[in-house]
Amino acid sequence: MSRSVRPTVVLVHGAFADASSYARVIPELTAVGLEVVAPAVPNRSLVDDAAYIASVIRAIDGPVILVGHSYGGAVITLAGTEDNVRALVYLAGYALEEGESLGELQGRFPDSGLADALVYTPFSVAGSDETGTDVSVEVGKFHALFAADVDPELAAVLAVSQRPLAARAFSEAATVAAWKSKPSWGLVATSDRTINPDVERFGYGRAGMTTVEVDSSHLVMLAQPKAVAELIQDAVRSTAH
């Protein structure tokens, strides 16, 4: 009997969050028989984070549908060139061009309001005299900016359990753009106050993605899990052999 080629869905979280941001999407996917992996992204460096996710992908025996939220979209733009990746799905994410940084793409459009809510905290770099800078969202502004339509009690927990993003990740250029060689889908969160929705629309349009728009805050996976799961399943169905 031949081995099933049903894909594994790899869910890549973004900045100021962790893999638990997919907590409501994962049951939707496993309920239809999909295998899911939701790794912890270090959030230290775009290139290094992508290399780590690429190593996770290579360890999977079989095809992969690669999903990225927010900064995770930038990560999958690099990691998605792995041979067994069949499709990319962007959720309120950054679809970078080769040679482009997060800061450059975001700088094309009016700010979402996030910049005024960012907190910068120094951290020690192991084996170095250098100091890095962690970027996070001010706890008191997290709910309104990041998760306005998520239960306030849950948003309060998310606000104090953020996984910061090292500042260097904002200025690192993408070394490759996987959407040029892989079919891609994109979700625009139309009520996003973390990333200007036009940043999402521009990146997706430039890449020629199949795009949907959902009335949601930035944290669309918790606010609109069924819409997210359906888009992922569209990618699965479209790439089935």
Side-chain angles (χ1 to χ4, degrees):
M1 182 181 294
S2 63
R3 186 181 179 281
S4 171
V5 293
R6 195 160 172 78
T8 297
V9 178
V10 176
L11 302 171
V12 180
H13 68 79
F16 324 132
D18 60 24
S20 68
S21 57
Y22 287 102
R24 296 187 67 194
V25 171
I26 291 170
E28 298 281 342
L29 300 176
T30 57
V32 295
L34 289 167
E35 296 288 332
V36 176
V37 175
V41 184
N43 283 4
R44 299 293 81 186
S45 151
L46 175 58
V47 173
D48 292 346
D49 291 343
Y52 172 70
I53 293 301
S55 73
V56 172
I57 295 166
R58 288 194 297 273
I60 295 171
D61 184 15
V64 164
I65 304 297
L66 187 57
V67 182
H69 173 245
S70 190
Y71 167 68
V75 174
I76 71 169
T77 297
L78 280 66
T81 57
E82 289 298 312
D83 290 343
N84 56 331
V85 173
R86 296 291 179 264
L88 308 173
V89 180
Y90 290 77
L91 305 173
Y94 294 102
L96 299 179
E97 173 61 279
E98 184 176 346
E100 184 178 55
S101 70
L102 291 173
E104 288 170 339
L105 175 55
Q106 196 156 264
R108 293 170 179 260
F109 299 90
D111 183 64
S112 62
L114 176 66
D116 292 335
L118 294 178
V119 177
Y120 299 89
T121 308
F123 67 88
S124 299
V125 177
S128 171
D129 293 332
E130 295 182 6
T131 299
T133 302
D134 263 340
V135 184
S136 59
V137 179
E138 188 177 329
V139 169
K141 296 180 178 179
F142 185 93
H143 186 201
L145 283 175
F146 208 74
D149 47 2
V150 173
D151 178 83
E153 291 186 359
L154 174 56
V157 173
L158 298 174
V160 300
S161 58
Q162 296 177 52
R163 193 180 188 98
L165 180 65
R168 63 178 290 194
F170 287 99
S171 60
E172 285 185 301
T175 54
V176 67
W179 48 259
K180 291 184 175 182
S181 58
K182 306 292 174 80
S184 304
W185 284 255
L187 182 150
V188 176
T190 60
S191 297
D192 199 333
R193 294 185 61 196
T194 298
I195 299 177
N196 184 331
D198 285 339
V199 173
E200 301 163 21
R201 294 185 182 102
F202 175 81
Y204 302 166
R206 178 173 61 182
M209 294 186 196
T210 301
T211 304
V212 300
E213 301 213 354
V214 176
D215 184 11
S216 173
S217 69
H218 187 61
L219 209 53
V220 63
M221 306 90 74
L222 287 171
Q224 298 285 348
K226 291 186 182 298
V228 169
E230 184 57 37
L231 185 64
I232 294 169
Q233 290 179 67
D234 284 348
V236 171
R237 287 188 287 264
S238 296
T239 56
H241 297 303

